[in-house]
Amino acid sequence: MRILVVEDDVNLNRQIVEALQDAGYVVDKAFDGEEGHFLGETEPYDAVILDIGLPEMDGITVLEKWRAAGRVMPVLLLTARDRWSDKVAGIDAGADDYVAKPFHLEEVLARIRALIRRAAGHASSEIVCGPVRLDTKSSKATVDGTALKLTSHEYRLLSYLMHHMGEVVSRTELVEHLYDQDFDRDSNTIEVFVGRLRKKIGIDMIETVRGLGYRIQAQQEAK
């Protein structure tokens, strides 16, 4: 899962980015509204953390421009605790949730997990497909209760496919959502990671849809 953090406070931006990366997310960052708006309009993100009080272009304007352009990624606003009017304006502009400063990073992570789950149509923190369970809270996966030892890339691949169960996901989409903007992207590496993931899971779960991509079917049973 790929997330954009738009926050002008350098230390806070770094803290949020590091917490997200430690939780297994791929993260891009911006420090002003114009840069954040450009990234959000040109790159595909699974969620965005957006501060309201940004230089160059304020967060509300950034959000309004995204929504007017048809960008539908979930957005978590960072607001000042005593500015209830900012919260109302943010929700009206198209924000999906907000958290007031100062905040605990654990709360931000929990809200981001919830936004991504809801966007993909999942209500629980655990996503289940046959014998495979993905715990989005702990960033762990199990098969019949046995923990899978996955690399960060393998986990992100499994997580993205399970969040989008029933959908055919192209290699291009996977590359766009599993790597940050500075990564040397190569769609051929996806095939390598899929092969490794299949071996570790040990069941016929990830379907190759020739010429289109990959799919995990909902209610998949072990074979």
Side-chain angles (χ1 to χ4, degrees):
M1 296 295 177
R2 188 176 173 199
I3 297 176
L4 172 64
V5 176
V6 190
E7 165 61 60
D8 64 312
D9 185 304
V10 175
N11 287 330
L12 182 56
N13 190 308
R14 175 184 54 79
Q15 291 171 12
I16 296 173
V17 168
E18 289 179 353
L20 289 167
Q21 290 174 335
D22 288 344
Y25 297 101
V26 173
V27 188
D28 292 333
K29 57 183 178 292
F31 297 94
D32 63 66
E34 287 189 354
E35 182 184 15
H37 171 257
F38 174 77
L39 288 174
E41 193 161 64
T42 58
E43 296 285 338
Y45 292 104
D46 297 292
V48 176
I49 297 175
L50 176 66
D51 185 33
I52 286 183
L54 294 168
E56 307 300 334
M57 186 188 303
D58 67 87
I60 298 297
T61 301
V62 171
L63 181 55
E64 288 176 338
K65 286 179 175 291
W66 282 341
R67 296 312 191 215
R71 304 295 284 171
V72 298
M73 64 281 193
V75 174
L76 174 67
L77 282 183
L78 304 181
T79 71
R81 184 173 295 279
D82 59 348
R83 291 290 299 274
W84 63 266
S85 58
D86 284 346
K87 301 171 186 176
V88 173
I91 296 298
D92 285 343
D96 298 272
D97 198 0
Y98 66 83
V99 63
K101 298 178 180 179
F103 49 76
H104 293 287
L105 288 171
E106 290 80 1
E107 179 182 2
V108 172
L109 291 174
R111 290 180 182 274
I112 283 294
R113 289 194 300 267
L115 289 180
I116 292 174
R117 288 198 313 269
R118 288 200 295 267
H122 300 285
S124 172
S125 61
E126 279 196 339
I127 302 175
V128 181
C129 184
V132 178
R133 288 180 176 270
L134 185 80
D135 187 337
T136 61
K137 182 178 180 181
S138 64
S139 300
K140 303 293 184 183
T142 60
V143 177
D144 287 326
T146 301
L148 287 172
K149 295 181 179 180
L150 304 176
T151 67
S152 59
H153 283 92
E154 291 165 354
Y155 173 80
R156 287 197 290 265
L157 174 59
L158 178 62
S159 176
Y160 195 85
L161 290 174
M162 288 191 68
H163 272 85
H164 297 273
M165 278 193 295
E167 302 175 23
V168 177
V169 182
S170 70
R171 290 185 184 181
T172 299
E173 181 177 346
L174 287 169
V175 168
E176 289 176 337
H177 287 265
L178 300 186
Y179 303 126
D180 62 41
Q181 61 175 335
D182 297 324
F183 193 87
D184 184 13
R185 301 172 181 179
D186 181 359
S187 63
N188 291 325
T189 62
I190 295 298
E191 185 175 353
V192 174
F193 288 128
V194 168
R196 292 178 183 174
L197 196 53
R198 282 171 169 157
K199 289 181 180 179
K200 291 186 177 182
I201 294 174
I203 60 173
D204 187 8
M205 175 178 172
I206 303 175
E207 174 190 1
T208 298
V209 182
R210 191 170 298 279
L212 297 176
Y214 302 97
R215 173 172 56 199
I216 289 179
Q217 290 285 15
Q219 305 301 318
Q220 178 74 39
E221 297 296 336
K223 294 182 180 180

